[in-house]
Amino acid sequence: MEHLSVTHAQKLILDSITRLETETVRLEQSVGRVLAQEIRANRDLPPYDVSAMDGFALRSADVAGGPAELTVIEDIKAGDLPTQTVVAGQCARIMTGAPVPPGADAVIRVEDTQEVSANRVQINKPVKPKNDVRPQGENMRDGDVVLTVGTEITPGVIGVLATVKAAQFAVFRRPRVAILSTGNELEGMDEPVDPNKIPNSNSYALMAQVQALGIEPVLLGIARDDPAELEQYLRRGLEYDVLLVSGGTSVGVHDYVRPTIEKLGVQMKFWRVAMKPGHPLAFGMLPPTKVPQAAHCGTLVFGLPGNPVSSMVCVEEFVAPALRCMMGNMRLYRRTLSARLANPIKHQPGRTEFVRVQLARDEAGYSASATGTQSSGVLLSMARADGLMIVPAASTGIAAGAQVTVQLLDGTAFQDEIGFRE
Ligand code: AMP
Ligand code: MG
């Protein structure tokens, strides 16, 4: 099988996914989720014309000719209802958010007035009709669709939901994700330090990448490179909506992951992507008939490379977008920005390369410099990175000072951005 391009592999994955079912959540627990129902306004807000300032509600015609003295007929605080109509020569003292009384068509802020006596005020300058009046329904009108299906629930959206008194509503369910590490050389977190072993970092780094999406994954532990043991672990993993397996996906004689998952009924879509790091990436699906309790698109299985940086990059580029898609999110990929390359990069054409970079800002914009050795085993250079610089597959190297695309390691793209473009 040939190597797929990164974008082709991303498309194959997204084409195999459907959004998960919906569930009801309470407003207080909903930040980060994605709306599965439309939300409408249940009244006009503000409910009537209100003042935008502390000041005086008046008839603009009374002050059109310049400074004028008016009689203050009442005090209207936020929460009060006016009891009188303002007629010629009159005004009402009004607080921000209080209803503009009948007869008045404008508000003048207190700074532009002068008290003459307890019920007389001097208006220092003319105001136009509607000045500092927030019209009824400016915020929202009764019956308006204020939020649509697919909206990610941000703090601003929470404010809108609270405004329309949506105490609970439908969101898309979060996928249940299992993470399995494989390898005889791996040492578990609770095991004593053995100089001949490699600490299992992948389970935790991948866990954190999944947690950052608001999903609490289940860590299945470490399976040895033994077909029978691996099969047992994989069977458990296939009970989830998504199974991430790290290590054992290459073509070494002890790389049993691919044959074992195929034996368990997983249909492989691809297992090689033309990227660096990350190339032995396998993707397959267990059809839904074999997992009645799982999502209706079945179990998605990602066979990730064992190298710590490779597996993290594969989660960024393939797994996280898939999980966002299952949760109904329309923003699937990380946001990119353009930066100046600080030091030249060598590149052999053939594979898309993701270079870990740190960003700095100066008058000319952003500059990107590699975080150190780019070996796929060096996690510290990932830990120091702000983003992944994308070196197109066809590139023959990039000179210092050239503009490059950097995909950030936090935040998602704007709604109309689809991943990165080479
Ligand atoms: P593999 O893909 O199984 O050939 O593993 C490639 C490299 O990644 C080897 O050097 C492994 O020791 C390392 N590796 C595999 N799994 C993990 C893990 N869970 N944590 C840290 N390193 C790992
Ligand atoms: Mg291995």
Side-chain angles (χ1 to χ4, degrees), residues 130-206:
K130 301 190 179 357
N131 184 68
D132 282 331
V133 174
R134 287 193 195 132
Q136 174 176 350
E138 180 192 53
N139 189 347
M140 54 182 76
R141 288 212 165 268
D142 190 12
D144 277 359
V145 173
V146 287
L147 300 167
T148 53
V149 173
T151 301
E152 184 178 333
I153 301 174
T154 59
V157 170
I158 293 270
V160 173
L161 288 163
T163 301
V164 303
K165 310 284 284 276
Q168 51 179 41
F169 40 81
V171 296
F172 294 102
R173 178 169 79 73
R174 288 192 275 232
R176 294 169 308 123
V177 178
I179 298 174
L180 175 65
S181 282
T182 72
N184 287 346
E185 76 282 26
L186 297 181
E187 178 182 285
M189 182 63 89
D190 301 327
E191 293 179 58
V193 173
D194 175 341
N196 299 316
K197 292 206 160 182
I198 300 291
N200 168 24
S201 58
N202 288 1
S203 289
Y204 301 93
L206 304 182

Side-chain angles (χ1 to χ4, degrees), residues 250-261:
S250 323
V251 288
V253 277
H254 297 294
D255 290 331
Y256 299 115
V257 170
R258 194 150 55 84
T260 311
I261 50 181

Side-chain angles (χ1 to χ4, degrees), residues 290-307:
K290 306 212 174 180
V291 261
Q293 75 278 36
H296 49 284
C297 57
T299 299
L300 305 185
V301 183
F302 291 88
L304 304 167
N307 273 309

